[in-house]
Amino acid sequence: MPEEKQLIQPLQVERDEYGFWTHPAWPDDGDECALPFSWFGDHGLEYCVVEMENDGPEELNAEWLDAGGDYDCSPWQPSKPAGNGWFTFSIHDTEDGPICVWVRQKVAA
């Protein structure tokens, strides 16, 4: 019998001292920076990735680069994608800087 998928629900986002937070449903595959693209679809989610580099204030991005990525990104409030139902699934660092992964339940066509 196939494994039953749990409906992923939004949770209160409580960012850490560096401004990061990840939903506990995020799959742990040992590579915390890897985006689990197929996992989203398998769980009935669509996703949208917002990069601080393109979304955050210029000053914050400059401070982040100057600090070599060892900096607090909590002043960044990621822009929510257009449409209804989006919630934060993760705000974490990548090789290219902080990103916010937004998800929502797939909308039936």
Side-chain angles (χ1 to χ4, degrees), residues 35-101:
L35 289 175
F37 296 112
S38 63
W39 183 90
F40 293 121
D42 291 346
H43 285 79
L45 299 170
E46 55 183 309
Y47 64 90
C48 179
V49 176
V50 176
E51 300 168 332
M52 187 176 84
E53 179 180 12
N54 300 320
D55 185 59
E58 213 171 290
E59 305 79 37
L60 181 59
N61 282 309
E63 290 173 7
W64 184 269
L65 289 173
D66 289 345
D70 187 22
Y71 185 73
D72 177 6
C73 77
S74 60
W76 175 46
Q77 297 302 313
S79 298
K80 188 179 272 194
N84 295 322
W86 292 103
F87 61 93
T88 303
F89 198 59
S90 183
I91 300 173
H92 63 269
D93 199 13
T94 69
E95 292 177 354
D96 298 321
I99 64 169
C100 178
V101 179

